[in-house]
Amino acid sequence: MKAVCWHGAQDMRVDNVADPQILNPRDAIIKVTSTAICGSDLHLYGGFMPGMQAGDIVGHEFMGEVVELGSAVTNLSIGNRVVVPFTIACGHCFFCDSGYHSLCDNSNPNAGVAEKMWGQSPSGLFGYTHILGGYAGGQAEYVRVPYADVGPMVVPDSVSDEQALFLTDIFPTGYQAIAQCDMQPGDTVAIWGCGPVGQFAIASAKMLGAARVIAIDTVDERLDMAATQHGAETLNPREVGNTLQLVEALRDMTAGRGPDICVDAVGLEAHGVGLEYWYDNIKQSLQMETARPVVLRQAIMACRKAGTVSIPGVYGGIADKIPVGALMNKALTIKTGQTHVQHYLKPLMDHVERGDIDPSFVITHRMRLDQAPEAYEMFQARRDNCIKVVMQP
Protein backbone atom coordinates (compact mmCIF):
# COMPACT_ATOMS: atom_id res chain seq x y z
CA MET A 1 0.00 0.00 0.00
CA LYS A 2 0.93 3.68 -0.15
CA ALA A 3 1.72 5.49 3.08
CA VAL A 4 3.22 8.80 4.19
CA CYS A 5 6.55 8.06 5.85
CA TRP A 6 8.93 10.21 7.89
CA HIS A 7 12.53 10.21 6.65
CA GLY A 8 13.91 13.09 8.72
CA ALA A 9 13.22 16.76 9.35
CA GLN A 10 11.41 18.39 6.41
CA ASP A 11 11.37 15.03 4.61
CA MET A 12 8.00 13.30 4.26
CA ARG A 13 7.66 10.79 1.42
CA VAL A 14 4.86 8.63 0.02
CA ASP A 15 6.34 5.12 0.07
CA ASN A 16 5.12 1.68 -0.94
CA VAL A 17 5.02 -0.38 2.27
CA ALA A 18 3.67 -3.73 3.41
CA ASP A 19 -0.06 -3.99 4.02
CA PRO A 20 -1.04 -4.16 7.72
CA GLN A 21 -2.12 -7.50 9.17
CA ILE A 22 -4.18 -8.68 12.12
CA LEU A 23 -1.70 -9.34 14.95
CA ASN A 24 -4.09 -9.70 17.88
CA PRO A 25 -7.70 -10.91 18.20
CA ARG A 26 -8.69 -7.38 19.27
CA ASP A 27 -7.32 -5.79 16.06
CA ALA A 28 -9.15 -4.42 13.05
CA ILE A 29 -7.91 -3.36 9.61
CA ILE A 30 -9.39 -0.09 8.34
CA LYS A 31 -9.40 1.04 4.72
CA VAL A 32 -8.72 4.76 5.11
CA THR A 33 -11.18 7.04 3.32
CA SER A 34 -10.11 10.38 4.84
CA THR A 35 -7.02 11.46 6.76
CA ALA A 36 -5.65 14.82 7.84
CA ILE A 37 -2.42 16.54 8.78
CA CYS A 38 -2.53 17.71 12.39
CA GLY A 39 -0.63 20.68 13.76
CA SER A 40 1.23 18.28 16.03
CA ASP A 41 2.40 16.39 12.92
CA LEU A 42 4.36 19.52 12.10
CA HIS A 43 6.44 18.90 15.24
CA LEU A 44 7.51 15.63 13.59
CA TYR A 45 8.05 17.36 10.26
CA GLY A 46 10.25 19.97 11.91
CA GLY A 47 12.32 17.33 13.70
CA PHE A 48 11.35 18.50 17.19
CA MET A 49 10.02 15.20 18.57
CA PRO A 50 12.49 12.48 19.60
CA GLY A 51 11.88 8.80 18.96
CA MET A 52 11.22 8.88 15.21
CA GLN A 53 12.85 6.37 12.85
CA ALA A 54 13.26 6.66 9.08
CA GLY A 55 10.32 4.98 7.34
CA ASP A 56 7.81 5.48 10.18
CA ILE A 57 4.25 5.83 8.90
CA VAL A 58 2.74 9.03 10.29
CA GLY A 59 -0.76 10.36 10.84
CA HIS A 60 -3.23 10.09 13.69
CA GLU A 61 -6.36 11.75 12.29
CA PHE A 62 -8.08 9.19 10.08
CA MET A 63 -11.32 7.33 9.47
CA GLY A 64 -12.49 4.70 7.06
CA GLU A 65 -14.18 1.38 6.36
CA VAL A 66 -13.69 -1.81 8.35
CA VAL A 67 -12.31 -4.49 6.01
CA GLU A 68 -10.99 -7.11 8.46
CA LEU A 69 -11.68 -7.98 12.10
CA GLY A 70 -9.93 -9.98 14.78
CA SER A 71 -11.94 -12.75 16.39
CA ALA A 72 -12.50 -10.79 19.65
CA VAL A 73 -13.98 -7.69 18.01
CA THR A 74 -17.74 -8.10 18.22
CA ASN A 75 -18.83 -4.44 18.31
CA LEU A 76 -17.96 -3.79 14.65
CA SER A 77 -18.91 -5.37 11.34
CA ILE A 78 -17.15 -5.56 8.00
CA GLY A 79 -18.18 -2.50 5.99
CA ASN A 80 -18.82 -0.23 8.97
CA ARG A 81 -17.67 3.37 8.48
CA VAL A 82 -15.77 4.37 11.63
CA VAL A 83 -13.78 7.17 13.23
CA VAL A 84 -10.70 6.08 15.18
CA PRO A 85 -9.41 7.93 18.27
CA PHE A 86 -5.75 8.90 17.99
CA THR A 87 -5.21 7.72 21.57
CA ILE A 88 -4.94 3.92 21.77
CA ALA A 89 -6.64 2.54 24.88
CA CYS A 90 -7.27 -0.95 26.24
CA GLY A 91 -10.58 0.03 27.86
CA HIS A 92 -10.06 -2.00 31.04
CA CYS A 93 -7.15 -0.60 33.09
CA PHE A 94 -7.60 1.78 36.05
CA PHE A 95 -7.22 4.87 33.87
CA CYS A 96 -9.53 3.70 31.07
CA ASP A 97 -12.16 2.75 33.65
CA SER A 98 -11.79 6.26 35.10
CA GLY A 99 -12.34 7.92 31.71
CA TYR A 100 -8.66 8.88 31.25
CA HIS A 101 -8.10 6.93 28.04
CA SER A 102 -4.99 8.86 26.99
CA LEU A 103 -3.31 7.56 30.16
CA CYS A 104 -3.97 3.87 29.41
CA ASP A 105 -1.52 1.60 31.22
CA ASN A 106 -1.48 -1.14 28.58
CA SER A 107 -1.28 0.36 25.08
CA ASN A 108 2.30 1.64 24.95
CA PRO A 109 4.74 -1.24 24.36
CA ASN A 110 7.62 1.20 24.87
CA ALA A 111 6.38 2.49 28.21
CA GLY A 112 9.84 2.14 29.76
CA VAL A 113 11.23 4.81 27.45
CA ALA A 114 8.38 7.20 28.24
CA GLU A 115 8.84 6.58 31.96
CA LYS A 116 12.46 7.69 31.76
CA MET A 117 11.36 10.97 30.16
CA TRP A 118 8.14 11.74 32.02
CA GLY A 119 8.07 9.54 35.11
CA GLN A 120 5.11 7.54 33.80
CA SER A 121 3.85 6.58 30.36
CA PRO A 122 0.68 7.86 28.69
CA SER A 123 -1.17 5.72 26.16
CA GLY A 124 0.21 4.72 22.80
CA LEU A 125 -0.59 7.01 19.88
CA PHE A 126 -0.95 6.33 16.17
CA GLY A 127 1.96 7.51 14.05
CA TYR A 128 3.68 9.53 16.76
CA THR A 129 7.18 8.40 17.75
CA HIS A 130 8.47 5.16 19.23
CA ILE A 131 8.33 6.76 22.68
CA LEU A 132 4.55 6.44 22.33
CA GLY A 133 4.50 2.94 20.90
CA GLY A 134 5.86 3.18 17.37
CA TYR A 135 2.42 2.38 15.93
CA ALA A 136 1.95 2.85 12.18
CA GLY A 137 -0.20 5.89 11.50
CA GLY A 138 -3.23 6.55 9.37
CA GLN A 139 -1.86 8.69 6.54
CA ALA A 140 -2.02 5.53 4.48
CA GLU A 141 -4.37 3.41 2.41
CA TYR A 142 -4.89 0.92 5.27
CA VAL A 143 -4.10 0.86 8.98
CA ARG A 144 -4.13 -1.70 11.77
CA VAL A 145 -6.21 -0.55 14.74
CA PRO A 146 -5.38 -2.23 18.08
CA TYR A 147 -8.10 -2.54 20.74
CA ALA A 148 -10.71 -2.11 18.04
CA ASP A 149 -13.34 -3.37 20.47
CA VAL A 150 -12.80 -0.16 22.46
CA GLY A 151 -11.70 2.71 20.19
CA PRO A 152 -13.49 3.01 16.82
CA MET A 153 -17.04 4.33 16.67
CA VAL A 154 -19.51 3.74 13.84
CA VAL A 155 -20.44 6.95 12.01
CA PRO A 156 -24.15 7.58 11.40
CA ASP A 157 -25.21 7.69 7.74
CA SER A 158 -26.37 11.28 8.20
CA VAL A 159 -22.82 12.46 9.04
CA SER A 160 -20.32 12.91 6.21
CA ASP A 161 -16.64 11.97 6.35
CA GLU A 162 -15.63 15.61 6.57
CA GLN A 163 -18.03 16.20 9.47
CA ALA A 164 -16.83 13.11 11.34
CA LEU A 165 -13.09 13.09 10.64
CA PHE A 166 -12.04 15.61 13.27
CA LEU A 167 -13.71 13.61 16.06
CA THR A 168 -10.52 11.54 15.90
CA ASP A 169 -8.48 14.33 17.52
CA ILE A 170 -8.81 18.08 17.08
CA PHE A 171 -12.51 18.50 17.92
CA PRO A 172 -12.35 16.55 21.21
CA THR A 173 -8.94 18.11 21.93
CA GLY A 174 -10.36 21.62 21.65
CA TYR A 175 -13.45 20.56 23.58
CA GLN A 176 -11.50 18.95 26.42
CA ALA A 177 -9.36 22.08 26.71
CA ILE A 178 -12.49 23.95 27.77
CA ALA A 179 -14.55 21.20 29.42
CA GLN A 180 -11.81 20.37 31.94
CA CYS A 181 -11.75 23.97 33.25
CA ASP A 182 -15.10 24.04 35.11
CA MET A 183 -16.13 27.13 33.17
CA GLN A 184 -18.77 29.29 34.86
CA PRO A 185 -21.49 31.51 33.32
CA GLY A 186 -20.01 34.88 32.48
CA ASP A 187 -16.44 33.60 32.11
CA THR A 188 -13.99 35.09 29.62
CA VAL A 189 -11.76 32.60 27.81
CA ALA A 190 -8.50 33.60 26.09
CA ILE A 191 -7.15 31.11 23.55
CA TRP A 192 -3.61 31.34 22.21
CA GLY A 193 -3.25 29.67 18.81
CA CYS A 194 -6.07 29.74 16.28
CA GLY A 195 -4.96 26.77 14.24
CA PRO A 196 -7.33 23.79 14.03
CA VAL A 197 -7.25 22.87 17.75
CA GLY A 198 -7.61 26.51 18.72
CA GLN A 199 -10.59 26.91 16.38
CA PHE A 200 -12.34 23.97 18.05
CA ALA A 201 -11.46 25.32 21.49
CA ILE A 202 -13.08 28.63 20.49
CA ALA A 203 -16.14 26.83 19.11
CA SER A 204 -16.37 24.67 22.23
CA ALA A 205 -16.07 27.63 24.58
CA LYS A 206 -18.96 29.28 22.78
CA MET A 207 -20.95 26.03 22.78
CA LEU A 208 -20.37 25.57 26.52
CA GLY A 209 -21.53 29.09 27.35
CA ALA A 210 -18.52 31.38 27.58
CA ALA A 211 -19.56 35.02 27.78
CA ARG A 212 -16.52 36.16 25.79
CA VAL A 213 -13.75 34.43 23.83
CA ILE A 214 -10.53 36.25 22.96
CA ALA A 215 -8.60 34.62 20.11
CA ILE A 216 -4.84 35.31 20.04
CA ASP A 217 -2.66 34.58 17.01
CA THR A 218 -0.14 36.21 14.70
CA VAL A 219 -1.74 34.84 11.51
CA ASP A 220 -4.48 37.04 10.06
CA GLU A 221 -6.43 34.29 8.28
CA ARG A 222 -6.71 32.32 11.51
CA LEU A 223 -7.97 35.39 13.37
CA ASP A 224 -10.44 36.03 10.55
CA MET A 225 -11.78 32.46 10.88
CA ALA A 226 -12.11 32.87 14.66
CA ALA A 227 -14.05 36.09 14.22
CA THR A 228 -16.29 35.11 11.31
CA GLN A 229 -17.01 31.50 12.33
CA HIS A 230 -17.36 31.97 16.08
CA GLY A 231 -17.71 35.67 16.83
CA ALA A 232 -14.49 35.76 18.84
CA GLU A 233 -12.69 38.96 19.73
CA THR A 234 -9.18 38.92 18.29
CA LEU A 235 -5.72 40.01 19.38
CA ASN A 236 -2.51 39.90 17.34
CA PRO A 237 0.63 39.83 19.54
CA ARG A 238 2.73 41.31 16.74
CA GLU A 239 0.59 44.43 16.98
CA VAL A 240 0.74 44.52 20.78
CA GLY A 241 4.36 43.78 21.70
CA ASN A 242 6.18 41.59 24.20
CA THR A 243 4.75 39.40 26.95
CA LEU A 244 4.27 42.24 29.44
CA GLN A 245 2.46 44.34 26.84
CA LEU A 246 0.24 41.42 25.84
CA VAL A 247 -0.66 40.74 29.46
CA GLU A 248 -1.51 44.41 29.91
CA ALA A 249 -3.69 44.37 26.78
CA LEU A 250 -5.65 41.39 28.11
CA ARG A 251 -6.14 43.12 31.45
CA ASP A 252 -7.44 46.19 29.64
CA MET A 253 -9.96 43.96 27.85
CA THR A 254 -11.12 42.33 31.11
CA ALA A 255 -11.61 45.25 33.49
CA GLY A 256 -8.12 44.83 34.93
CA ARG A 257 -8.67 41.27 36.12
CA GLY A 258 -7.41 39.00 33.32
CA PRO A 259 -9.20 36.14 31.54
CA ASP A 260 -10.82 33.49 33.73
CA ILE A 261 -9.47 30.68 31.55
CA CYS A 262 -6.31 30.82 29.42
CA VAL A 263 -5.72 28.10 26.81
CA ASP A 264 -2.31 27.30 25.29
CA ALA A 265 -3.26 25.68 21.98
CA VAL A 266 0.20 26.32 20.52
CA GLY A 267 2.71 24.15 22.37
CA LEU A 268 6.41 23.67 21.86
CA GLU A 269 6.97 25.71 18.68
CA ALA A 270 5.50 29.00 19.88
CA HIS A 271 6.62 32.22 18.24
CA GLY A 272 7.05 35.54 19.96
CA VAL A 273 8.76 38.89 19.79
CA GLY A 274 11.90 40.27 21.37
CA LEU A 275 14.65 38.75 23.47
CA GLU A 276 12.45 36.10 25.09
CA TYR A 277 11.68 34.43 21.76
CA TRP A 278 15.28 34.50 20.53
CA TYR A 279 16.48 33.01 23.83
CA ASP A 280 14.13 30.04 23.38
CA ASN A 281 14.82 29.72 19.67
CA ILE A 282 18.58 29.53 20.19
CA LYS A 283 18.34 27.09 23.12
CA GLN A 284 15.95 24.84 21.19
CA SER A 285 18.17 24.83 18.09
CA LEU A 286 21.15 23.87 20.29
CA GLN A 287 19.02 21.13 21.93
CA MET A 288 19.42 22.78 25.33
CA GLU A 289 15.64 22.84 25.74
CA THR A 290 12.94 21.03 23.79
CA ALA A 291 10.28 23.75 23.71
CA ARG A 292 9.73 27.42 23.13
CA PRO A 293 7.22 28.07 25.95
CA VAL A 294 6.45 31.67 24.99
CA VAL A 295 2.69 31.11 25.06
CA LEU A 296 2.73 29.11 28.29
CA ARG A 297 4.53 31.96 30.06
CA GLN A 298 2.05 34.47 28.68
CA ALA A 299 -0.96 32.38 29.68
CA ILE A 300 0.31 32.02 33.27
CA MET A 301 1.06 35.72 33.57
CA ALA A 302 -2.22 36.84 31.97
CA CYS A 303 -4.66 34.51 33.74
CA ARG A 304 -6.67 36.08 36.53
CA LYS A 305 -6.00 35.10 40.12
CA ALA A 306 -7.59 31.70 40.97
CA GLY A 307 -8.12 31.12 37.24
CA THR A 308 -7.31 28.10 35.11
CA VAL A 309 -4.59 27.55 32.51
CA SER A 310 -5.41 24.73 30.09
CA ILE A 311 -2.70 23.20 27.87
CA PRO A 312 -3.84 21.16 24.86
CA GLY A 313 -0.72 22.24 22.93
CA VAL A 314 1.92 19.50 22.66
CA TYR A 315 5.03 19.58 24.86
CA GLY A 316 7.52 16.73 24.80
CA GLY A 317 10.40 17.50 27.14
CA ILE A 318 11.82 20.43 29.09
CA ALA A 319 11.38 24.20 28.92
CA ASP A 320 13.09 27.11 30.66
CA LYS A 321 11.96 30.06 32.71
CA ILE A 322 8.39 29.04 33.45
CA PRO A 323 7.03 31.63 35.94
CA VAL A 324 6.25 29.23 38.78
CA GLY A 325 6.12 32.16 41.20
CA ALA A 326 3.13 33.58 39.34
CA LEU A 327 1.62 30.10 39.11
CA MET A 328 1.79 29.56 42.86
CA ASN A 329 1.10 33.05 44.18
CA LYS A 330 -1.90 33.59 41.88
CA ALA A 331 -3.39 30.23 42.99
CA LEU A 332 -3.77 29.04 39.40
CA THR A 333 -5.10 25.66 38.37
CA ILE A 334 -3.28 23.86 35.54
CA LYS A 335 -5.14 21.39 33.31
CA THR A 336 -3.16 19.38 30.76
CA GLY A 337 -3.01 16.08 28.92
CA GLN A 338 -3.43 14.25 25.68
CA THR A 339 -7.11 13.97 24.84
CA HIS A 340 -9.34 11.27 26.30
CA VAL A 341 -11.02 10.94 22.90
CA GLN A 342 -13.04 7.81 23.70
CA HIS A 343 -14.68 9.68 26.60
CA TYR A 344 -15.94 12.46 24.31
CA LEU A 345 -16.73 10.62 21.06
CA LYS A 346 -20.41 9.89 21.63
CA PRO A 347 -21.51 13.28 23.05
CA LEU A 348 -19.59 15.19 20.36
CA MET A 349 -20.98 12.98 17.60
CA ASP A 350 -24.45 13.79 18.99
CA HIS A 351 -23.66 17.52 18.64
CA VAL A 352 -22.65 16.99 15.01
CA GLU A 353 -25.68 14.84 14.23
CA ARG A 354 -28.04 17.45 15.74
CA GLY A 355 -26.44 20.19 13.68
CA ASP A 356 -25.06 22.11 16.67
CA ILE A 357 -21.69 22.28 14.88
CA ASP A 358 -20.30 21.33 11.48
CA PRO A 359 -16.62 20.53 12.10
CA SER A 360 -15.79 20.74 8.39
CA PHE A 361 -15.66 24.56 8.73
CA VAL A 362 -11.94 24.28 9.49
CA ILE A 363 -10.95 22.63 6.18
CA THR A 364 -9.14 24.94 3.78
CA HIS A 365 -7.44 22.41 1.47
CA ARG A 366 -8.38 19.01 0.06
CA MET A 367 -5.60 16.96 -1.54
CA ARG A 368 -4.65 13.42 -2.54
CA LEU A 369 -2.51 11.23 -0.32
CA ASP A 370 0.26 11.23 -2.91
CA GLN A 371 0.44 15.02 -2.53
CA ALA A 372 1.40 14.70 1.15
CA PRO A 373 4.95 16.12 0.84
CA GLU A 374 3.55 19.25 -0.81
CA ALA A 375 0.75 19.42 1.76
CA TYR A 376 3.18 19.30 4.69
CA GLU A 377 5.34 22.05 3.21
CA MET A 378 2.30 24.23 2.50
CA PHE A 379 0.82 23.68 5.97
CA GLN A 380 4.05 24.50 7.76
CA ALA A 381 4.65 27.62 5.65
CA ARG A 382 0.94 28.58 5.90
CA ARG A 383 1.08 29.07 2.15
CA ASP A 384 -2.19 29.80 0.33
CA ASN A 385 -3.85 30.62 3.70
CA CYS A 386 -3.62 26.95 4.67
CA ILE A 387 -5.23 26.14 8.02
CA LYS A 388 -6.29 22.48 7.62
CA VAL A 389 -5.50 19.86 4.97
CA VAL A 390 -7.60 16.74 4.42
CA MET A 391 -6.19 14.00 2.18
CA GLN A 392 -7.88 11.06 0.50
CA PRO A 393 -6.01 7.91 -0.56
Side-chain angles (χ1 to χ4, degrees):
M1 67 171 184
K2 291 181 179 179
V4 182
C5 297
W6 185 91
H7 286 273
Q10 315 289 320
D11 188 4
M12 293 292 189
R13 307 176 196 173
V14 180
D15 293 340
N16 289 314
V17 302
D19 292 346
Q21 297 181 346
I22 297 287
L23 301 179
N24 183 285
R26 297 178 69 183
D27 288 351
I29 303 297
I30 305 297
K31 179 182 180 181
V32 177
T33 55
S34 293
T35 184
I37 302 175
C38 182
S40 55
D41 288 329
L42 294 183
H43 302 322
L44 306 180
Y45 185 63
F48 292 104
M49 294 298 290
M52 294 296 291
Q53 298 177 12
D56 283 347
I57 301 172
V58 297
H60 56 269
E61 293 181 346
F62 63 92
M63 64 175 294
E65 178 186 340
V66 177
V67 295
E68 192 174 350
L69 290 171
S71 59
V73 183
T74 59
N75 57 311
L76 301 175
S77 299
I78 302 297
N80 281 160
R81 190 167 58 108
V82 296
V83 289
V84 182
F86 79 99
T87 46
I88 301 170
C90 75
H92 301 296
C93 67
F94 168 83
F95 293 100
C96 288
D97 284 342
S98 301
Y100 302 125
H101 295 86
S102 73
L103 302 176
C104 175
D105 264 339
N106 295 320
S107 62
N108 184 2
N110 299 330
V113 179
E115 288 167 2
K116 290 177 181 177
M117 292 186 64
W118 303 321
Q120 290 180 295
S121 173
S123 72
L125 303 184
F126 286 102
Y128 214 79
T129 90
H130 289 263
I131 298 170
L132 296 172
Y135 289 97
Q139 289 175 15
E141 293 181 304
Y142 295 88
V143 62
R144 179 179 76 93
V145 177
Y147 301 114
D149 55 334
V150 174
M153 187 175 74
V154 177
V155 179
D157 291 339
S158 60
V159 177
S160 70
D161 268 24
E162 290 192 350
Q163 291 174 312
L165 176 59
F166 303 131
L167 288 165
T168 60
D169 178 3
I170 55 174
F171 185 9
T173 295
Y175 187 89
Q176 177 180 289
I178 305 301
Q180 66 187 358
C181 293
D182 190 27
M183 188 173 67
Q184 300 299 309
D187 274 358
T188 295
V189 180
I191 297 171
W192 278 255
C194 300
V197 167
Q199 296 292 336
F200 281 109
I202 295 165
S204 298
K206 288 284 189 177
M207 196 161 55
L208 291 170
R212 297 172 65 196
V213 177
I214 302 170
I216 304 166
D217 205 300
T218 60
V219 181
D220 288 340
E221 55 266 26
R222 293 176 179 176
L223 293 176
D224 290 344
M225 180 178 281
T228 57
Q229 290 285 343
H230 316 298
E233 302 168 58
T234 61
L235 194 61
N236 189 331
R238 295 197 189 281
E239 299 174 0
V240 176
N242 61 26
T243 291
L244 292 178
Q245 291 168 315
L246 181 65
V247 169
E248 189 63 31
L250 285 167
R251 285 183 183 152
D252 288 344
M253 296 175 73
T254 55
R257 201 167 57 204
D260 304 283
I261 295 169
C262 289
V263 178
D264 174 1
V266 179
L268 62 88
E269 289 189 75
H271 292 272
V273 297
L275 183 62
E276 176 187 24
Y277 169 68
W278 289 109
Y279 168 87
D280 287 320
N281 203 33
I282 292 168
K283 291 205 72 172
Q284 190 181 48
S285 65
L286 295 174
Q287 298 185 340
M288 297 174 69
E289 68 173 336
T290 58
R292 303 193 298 261
V294 177
V295 164
L296 182 55
R297 296 188 193 111
Q298 292 174 350
I300 290 171
M301 294 298 293
C303 194
R304 73 153 167 85
K305 292 180 286 187
T308 301
V309 175
S310 181
I311 312 171
V314 170
Y315 288 91
I318 57 173
D320 288 358
K321 296 188 168 42
I322 305 300
V324 291
L327 180 66
M328 182 268 171
N329 285 290
K330 290 168 65 177
L332 300 182
T333 297
I334 301 290
K335 292 288 188 175
T336 69
Q338 297 284 3
T339 311
H340 313 302
V341 178
Q342 289 86 342
H343 180 72
Y344 294 109
L345 264 183
K346 181 62 168 64
L348 293 184
M349 182 66 84
D350 290 344
H351 277 297
V352 175
E353 201 169 9
R354 287 197 303 265
D356 299 334
I357 185 172
D358 181 350
S360 65
F361 76 85
V362 78
I363 302 171
T364 56
H365 291 74
R366 297 165 176 87
M367 303 176 74
R368 301 185 309 274
L369 188 70
D370 59 12
Q371 294 176 293
E374 175 189 347
Y376 268 91
E377 187 277 327
M378 179 174 61
F379 189 20
Q380 186 192 52
R382 297 187 295 275
R383 201 160 35 81
D384 193 30
N385 295 336
C386 182
I387 293 176
K388 189 66 176 180
V389 181
V390 171
M391 300 182 294
Q392 293 182 326

